[in-house]
Amino acid sequence: MQAEVAGNYIDEKAATITAVSNRIWALAEVGLHEEQSAQYLADALRTEGFDVRLGAGGMPSGLEATWGEGRPVIGFLGEYDALPGVSQKALPLREELSPGSAGHGCGHNLLGAGAFGAVIGLKREMEARGLTGTIKYFGCPAEENFGGKAHMAREGLFTACDACLTWHPGPLNFVRSAASLAVDSMNVTFRGRTAHAAADPHNGRSALDAVQLMNLGVEFLREHMPAKARVHYVITNGGGQPNVVPATATVWYYVRAPQRGMVDELYQRVIRCARGAAEMTETECDIELLDAIWELLPNTTLEKVLAECMARVGPPRFGEAEREFARKLSESFRPGQREAFLAAAFEGAAAVPEELGGQLLNDTVVPRVEAAAQPRGSTDVGDTSWCCPTAQFGMACSAIGTPGHSWQFAAQSGMGIGHAGMLQAAKVLAEAGLVLLTDPATLAAAREEFARRTGGKAYRCAMPDGFKPPFHQLANK
Ligand SMILES: [Zn+2]
């Protein structure tokens, strides 16, 4: 490791960084409601000498913390939103921490605390070396559902950076070069007329009928969509009980495609299905956009920096307690889940690296992978990546085969497995930050690649001016 001062400081502060992670893990606040998590991080950053601003991007849980002066400006992205329904104790058996509540089934407590560890370590390194430059910690709300980074991007927070770095907890230590899908998220609410469903159904105009006909329209549309597009929905309000013709009904849609422009087009076609359904059922329909984010623009120059830094820093160090926990937990995995995960992670690569054959906890550094052609999900890191060169890596914080967004993931995010990965991720980020602060040629190459990939297309937030994040959509439970 070259950023030795940073590495030593991260070790010295391991208890504090872990406490931040555990606090966020126990709070388990869902997207746009992470006020206490953000506040806790804000206090911790202030204690370390950062200038802290809450309310970034027009969200109470949005956070921007700054230290240093002048260029380059290097941003580090943190997240801390939980997922509904996966509350879990730090045990290898299913046991809810708070029944029916949210939990950190994607490890964003580790993500936020790991990036915190990186900036406090890097600050020490810069002080020791007398480096000029600015480091920023961005606390980004609602990655899982409402694209907090897009709101922060609209404020210009990322265009003000020379580069941004982040990471994500997962089962593997590697840089996986993968794009993501741009997405629009919206509520479609139909309004009809209620009636007694048996006595005078002819007087009713069912909003639920409209939802079903819209969905049917979209199912037929599916055949004529671009192959890599993805559309899915849930009915969040389908009426009260069967003997009342529903006067209102709501369906929540995601429309995804590999490029922002494709989503814009497909969104209009889905809306046509809604309007057609309203016409058929003599109902009215309202469309409420909830979130609109961009696809990820990869930056190979930065990805290589991250891969080199990870090779220097090394993998997380797991002890016997962590191995035993992983072994017990893996009894809850479906047969073949581990193999299926590895096949998917390395789809498009020559083969699954041999070294992973017998590993349950990944304690080696896996070479950088160019991912398969079909992007799997969406992330609001996409919006950041259109504002400045951006890259991310994965660090092992869960056993190989752990399902995504699961109680098993939540369990590991609150104990030694997650903590070991988080502390190592903090060191990799700090190491990469030092490279970008001290090697102008690499930073210039990353910026050149960024200019080439954007093709001169300027970022514009896909949400209309004056758009407010949908604080009402999910309750914090
Ligand atoms: Zn996540």
Side-chain angles (χ1 to χ4, degrees):
M1 188 160 179
Q2 290 174 346
E4 255 175 58
V5 175
N8 291 339
Y9 193 61
I10 290 164
D11 284 338
E12 189 186 319
K13 285 288 189 174
T16 305
I17 300 164
T18 305
V20 169
S21 173
N22 283 345
R23 175 83 182 132
I24 298 171
W25 181 81
L27 284 165
E29 298 170 298
V30 299
L32 297 179
H33 298 282
E34 319 96 318
E35 282 99 340
Q36 292 186 69
S37 302
Q39 185 64 58
Y40 196 77
L41 263 165
D43 292 344
L45 283 156
R46 254 187 223 113
T47 305
E48 292 288 332
F50 280 73
D51 277 334
V52 178
R53 176 174 76 95
L54 277 163
M59 299 165 288
S61 54
L63 170 63
E64 181 190 17
T66 309
W67 182 84
E69 271 185 320
R71 305 285 289 271
V73 181
I74 311 297
F76 295 84
L77 309 178
E79 298 166 10
Y80 29 73
D81 54 329
L83 289 162
V86 290
S87 175
Q88 167 68 25
K89 291 183 181 170
L91 294 172
L93 301 167
R94 179 70 171 129
E95 207 172 304
E96 288 174 291
L97 183 67
S98 167
S101 299
H104 274 287
C106 202
H108 291 188
N109 60 310
L110 303 167
L111 203 172
F116 162 75
V119 294
I120 66 171
L122 187 54
K123 170 175 174 280
R124 283 292 168 116
E125 185 79 40
M126 290 172 73
E127 285 169 338
R129 291 175 181 245
L131 293 176
T132 52
T134 305
I135 49 176
K136 283 182 177 278
Y137 178 95
F138 293 108
C140 309
E143 191 280 334
E144 293 290 0
N145 43 23
F146 303 118
K149 291 182 197 73
H151 296 278
M152 296 167 79
R154 182 166 41 195
E155 269 188 4
L157 300 186
F158 306 125
T159 31
C161 295
D162 290 287
C164 276
L165 299 174
T166 190
W167 75 290
H168 201 292
L172 297 176
N173 305 305
F174 71 164
V175 178
R176 185 167 178 273
S177 182
S180 68
L181 296 165
V183 59
D184 278 353
S185 162
M186 74 275 198
N187 279 331
V188 182
T189 298
F190 292 91
R191 294 178 210 289
R193 194 163 72 219
T194 190
H196 192 297
D200 61 341
H202 52 286
N203 284 323
R205 297 291 181 268
S206 170
L208 177 61
D209 288 357
V211 163
Q212 289 181 289
L213 287 165
M214 177 191 173
N215 294 349
L216 189 63
V218 170
E219 293 308 335
F220 279 95
L221 174 63
R222 221 179 266 288
E223 189 187 349
H224 310 288
M225 296 186 326
K228 289 178 182 170
R230 295 284 184 270
V231 177
H232 22 261
Y233 50 82
V234 291
I235 299 174
T236 51
N237 170 18
Q241 63 182 41
N243 62 353
V244 183
V245 172
T248 65
T250 303
V251 58
W252 181 4
Y253 262 85
Y254 282 8
V255 177
R256 310 199 210 211
Q259 278 128 34
R260 188 60 240 165
M262 287 168 78
V263 171
D264 292 340
E265 275 176 36
L266 190 55
Y267 173 86
Q268 293 301 335
R269 296 174 74 194
V270 170
I271 295 306
R272 279 172 179 273
C273 294
R275 300 218 187 286
E279 179 69 21
M280 279 190 276
T281 52
E282 299 174 54
T283 57
E284 306 284 328
C285 87
D286 296 331
I287 290 123
E288 181 199 13
L289 187 70
L290 298 170
D291 174 27
I293 62 176
W294 283 65
E295 75 276 12
L296 191 80
L297 194 69
N299 191 290
T300 311
T301 310
L302 286 186
E303 286 172 1
K304 286 183 177 163
V305 169
L306 288 173
E308 286 161 16
C309 289
M310 196 189 297
R312 282 204 291 275
V313 171
R317 287 178 286 263
F318 300 110
E320 206 33 59
E322 284 81 44
R323 291 184 193 287
E324 181 54 22
F325 190 101
R327 199 197 53 71
K328 273 214 182 94
L329 188 78
S330 70
E331 290 170 6
S332 69
F333 299 172
R334 276 185 294 111
Q337 196 167 305
R338 195 180 158 284
E339 293 70 20
F341 166 79
L342 287 173
F346 294 96
E347 189 189 348
V352 175
E354 234 172 74
E355 69 205 71
L356 293 172
Q359 292 186 20
L360 191 52
L361 289 176
N362 180 205
D363 53 9
T364 54
V365 170
V366 178
R368 191 174 71 88
V369 178
E370 295 277 353
Q374 170 66 48
R376 294 212 179 84
S378 305
T379 170
D380 60 5
V381 178
D383 284 69
T384 308
S385 75
W386 278 88
C387 295
C388 68
T390 302
Q392 53 188 341
F393 63 92
M395 200 102 227
C397 292
S398 61
I400 301 173
T402 302
H405 292 189
S406 63
W407 68 263
Q408 290 98 329
F409 205 138
Q412 296 167 92
S413 301
M415 50 75 66
I417 297 175
H419 298 155
M422 167 187 74
L423 293 170
Q424 213 64 2
K427 291 179 188 174
V428 175
L429 283 172
E431 179 88 359
L434 181 63
V435 171
L436 299 182
L437 286 163
T438 55
D439 180 356
T442 298
L443 190 55
R447 294 207 62 88
E448 242 166 67
E449 182 182 343
F450 172 76
R452 183 166 42 77
R453 284 188 187 250
T454 53
K457 188 156 100 181
Y459 170 79
R460 191 181 151 75
C461 180
M463 291 178 266
D465 290 341
F467 181 87
K468 295 258 181 299
F471 297 104
H472 59 87
Q473 183 73 3
L474 269 190
N476 197 25
K477 187 179 158 224

